[in-house]
Amino acid sequence: MVGVFASLKWTLVTGRFRRSSTAVKAWTVVGWFVVLVVVAFVFLGMVAVRSVPDVAVTVVTTLFVLQFVGWGMAPLIAFGVDETVDPQRFALLPLTSRTLQTGLLTASLVGYLPVINALVLIAAAIAMSPTWAVLPVALVCAAAQLLLCVAFSRALSTTISQLMSGRRGRDLGMLAGFGLIVLYFAATFALNSRSGATALGQGLTDIATGLGWIPPGALAQLPAQVADGRLLRAVGGIVIVLAGAALIWWWWSSALRRLLTTRPSVTSGSAPAGDAAGDSVATTIGGTARLIAGRDRLLAWRDPMRRIPWLMVAFFAVAWPFLVIRGHGAVYGVAVAAAIAGTQAGNAYGMDGSALWMHIVAFADRVRARGEMLGHSLFVLVPGAVCVAIGLVVHAWVWSDWDLLPGAIGICVSALAGGAAMAGYLSARLPYAVRQSRNSMFTNSVEGQKGRTGAATFALLGGSIASAVPSALCVLLAHTVSPVWGWIGILVSVVVGATMLTVLSAVTAKRYLDTMPEILHIVSLGDRV
């Protein structure tokens, strides 16, 4: 059965590539080439570290632990990335839990990501081998690390698979993903704030020593212990690894049996966020806009996958400039939050999937189609403006950058309003289907539309940046000519934002009405996955 699982996974992986169009195949090959180049640099870097054994042990220990955590957090943040090894798909097959467990472990080792991890682990094995005599031991440790990571990932995903199908699980995944992003920036800030390279190196060495008492860290330090003759410590490391592996295997087995023999008890809905529409009547542009904005607010409250971008907006408005810029001019960093907020109106039609036909029936005229587009923009403009305003005031007060505030306001307004206008236009110009299962934060686009999704994303980012260029030029003049240009930048941003919203809403409405059947066909594909 192990061979059957492996062959099935290989067929699925290669079948997707064979069924792709020529353009998709070409871009896939280019992507593979880029990844191989990156892996080659990582490989060479890891091999170069081998010449400094103490540093190599610290680096490889940190790598093993981060790899272990990464494999474990992936299903929590984006369950469904690898749906081919979802245990619930095998519930009706006459297989024992042990057979299914072994087969799923083997199938998880087949694919692009395991191959990339294997190449990095081979480089790590060379790096953590003080002498070539212990290279076989290091290779065994690298193989054990890959198996340990895969088993841990499968155990955790099996445990939370039922939970992630409901709102509670998606809330948990949302918080975990946001927490990882915040942790990354906080760790970067902490490392960059060390008093010197010596203190930083000593801190990392102390951390690596402590990590040696958990299975991934023990595997990373085992070859050096064997080479140095510390056999008693090496035996202790082996015991730690075996105990950890046995615990993970038992955990996975128990979770698998429970998953296949019990029914889920989850909630997929949420308490309503009040009356979404109020007294709005969709007969005018303003009434339709208020109706759609209220609807988007209600859906954002109910769907955790729509809430996490707003956490990101708040983070980039307040915390990010502190961590990255950290000083005079940090007020300009809030523009990143403004751009992110504006993009939240993107792919508005794709979010509805096949339910878009109800909008087509209800808003099939120029006035209400334009009001619908403006409603999506209104939904992102109001909370986006609040987050950006808070961020601007906080950084202007902390760093005493009140003189820079007018220019920063101009850039933020342009990025926010321009991004929202471009998002609405691209929703009709480059719509793409979204997985309506919504079990994952990162696997939203469907197979066959990756190129369309990428084009829409880059076009949206480019449009947001381009809309802020006039205000940015005013800021440059404010620094080089006269501070008055900062206030002129605010006026320019209002004119640019209002013009883009007015013009693009009309263009979007016309294109939407002209291509409604085509848009519906594209976005309805998300209901099938």
Side-chain angles (χ1 to χ4, degrees):
M1 287 302 298
V2 172
V4 173
F5 273 85
S7 63
L8 286 174
K9 180 64 180 295
W10 177 253
T11 302
L12 289 171
V13 172
T14 57
R16 291 176 178 175
F17 179 77
R18 289 194 301 267
R19 291 195 304 268
S20 303
S21 62
T22 303
V24 173
K25 290 180 180 178
W27 281 110
T28 302
V29 172
V30 172
W32 289 344
F33 177 76
V34 172
V35 170
L36 288 177
V37 170
V38 174
V39 171
F41 277 105
V42 173
F43 193 98
L44 293 176
M46 295 296 293
V47 173
V49 172
R50 179 179 178 271
S51 59
V52 188
D54 294 338
V55 175
V57 172
T58 300
V59 170
V60 175
T61 300
T62 305
L63 172 66
F64 274 30
V65 173
L66 291 178
Q67 186 184 40
F68 183 79
V69 173
W71 274 84
M73 293 301 294
L76 181 62
I77 300 174
F79 183 79
V81 168
D82 191 1
E83 295 177 344
T84 59
V85 291
D86 184 357
Q88 296 188 82
R89 295 175 180 264
F90 305 94
L92 299 180
L93 297 180
L95 300 173
T96 64
S97 60
R98 181 179 296 275
T99 302
L100 183 58
Q101 195 172 355
T102 307
L104 291 175
L105 177 63
T106 305
S108 299
L109 295 172
V110 178
Y112 309 128
L113 184 60
V115 170
I116 294 173
N117 277 261
L119 293 176
V120 173
L121 286 173
I122 291 174
I126 298 176
M128 62 182 177
S129 302
T131 62
W132 293 113
V134 297
L135 180 59
V137 177
L139 290 173
V140 172
C141 291
Q145 165 72 0
L146 182 58
L147 292 174
L148 198 66
C149 290
V150 174
F152 178 60
S153 175
R154 290 298 99 206
L156 184 57
S157 64
T158 301
T159 302
I160 67 174
S161 61
Q162 291 181 341
L163 181 64
M164 291 302 289
S165 63
R167 176 175 169 268
R168 294 174 183 172
R170 293 196 295 270
D171 279 336
L172 181 61
M174 176 192 70
L175 294 175
F178 179 70
L180 281 181
I181 295 172
V182 173
L183 181 62
Y184 165 76
F185 281 105
T188 303
F189 174 76
L191 292 176
N192 292 333
S193 300
R194 301 290 296 201
S195 58
T198 303
L200 175 60
Q202 184 60 43
L204 292 176
T205 301
D206 295 340
I207 294 175
T209 302
L211 295 176
W213 293 98
I214 61 177
L219 282 172
Q221 299 178 14
L222 187 59
Q225 294 166 355
V226 172
D228 295 341
R230 293 177 289 164
L231 299 182
L232 185 60
R233 181 67 181 87
V235 172
I238 294 174
V239 172
I240 292 174
V241 172
L242 293 178
L247 180 62
I248 291 173
W249 189 262
W250 170 82
W251 172 28
W252 185 14
S253 178
S254 301
L256 192 60
R257 285 195 301 268
R258 184 169 58 255
L259 175 67
L260 299 178
T261 57
T262 60
R263 297 185 61 184
S265 177
V266 297
T267 58
S268 56
S270 172
D275 187 4
D279 297 327
S280 300
V281 180
T283 56
T284 63
I285 292 179
T288 306
R290 289 192 298 271
L291 181 69
I292 295 300
R295 167 187 172 274
D296 286 350
R297 177 177 62 87
L298 178 62
L299 293 178
W301 170 263
R302 288 183 171 180
D303 188 356
M305 304 305 174
R306 300 193 188 195
R307 287 203 300 270
I308 190 171
W310 290 107
L311 289 177
M312 294 301 301
V313 170
F315 173 77
F316 276 92
V318 179
W320 184 78
F322 279 118
L323 299 176
V324 178
I325 301 177
R326 290 183 293 172
H328 185 66
V331 69
Y332 292 126
V334 183
V336 176
I340 295 175
T343 61
Q344 299 313 306
N347 197 32
Y349 303 125
M351 299 298 292
D352 293 317
S354 60
L356 180 65
W357 73 269
M358 292 188 292
H359 293 249
I360 294 176
V361 173
F363 308 133
D365 61 80
R366 184 70 60 85
V367 171
R368 284 180 287 189
R370 189 175 182 181
E372 182 177 7
M373 182 269 170
L374 290 175
H376 293 306
S377 300
L378 178 62
F379 165 69
V380 302
L381 289 176
V382 174
V386 172
C387 292
V388 168
I390 293 174
L392 290 173
V393 172
V394 167
H395 290 286
W397 177 69
V398 170
W399 306 111
S400 298
D401 279 345
W402 297 106
D403 57 323
L404 304 181
L405 190 59
I409 292 176
I411 295 177
C412 291
V413 170
S414 295
L416 178 60
M422 280 297 299
Y425 170 71
L426 291 172
S427 295
R429 183 65 180 83
L430 286 174
Y432 57 89
V434 175
R435 294 174 182 265
Q436 296 301 313
S437 60
R438 304 295 289 160
N439 286 337
S440 168
M441 290 162 50
F442 304 111
T443 57
N444 287 332
S445 61
V446 301
E447 295 294 333
Q449 295 190 15
K450 302 295 184 181
R452 174 180 287 270
T453 304
T457 301
F458 286 111
L460 180 54
L461 293 176
S464 300
I465 295 173
S467 64
V469 169
S471 298
L473 291 177
C474 292
V475 170
L476 179 61
L477 292 174
H479 283 279
T480 57
V481 179
S482 171
V484 176
W485 281 100
W487 296 98
I488 296 176
I490 296 179
L491 298 177
V492 170
S493 67
V494 173
V495 172
V496 170
T499 302
M500 291 185 67
L501 285 170
T502 302
V503 174
L504 290 183
S505 64
V507 174
T508 302
K510 183 179 184 303
R511 182 169 183 83
Y512 170 61
L513 293 173
D514 292 341
T515 60
M516 285 190 298
E518 291 81 1
I519 295 176
L520 177 61
H521 172 72
I522 291 173
V523 303
S524 62
L525 297 177
D527 294 351
R528 305 175 188 176
V529 291

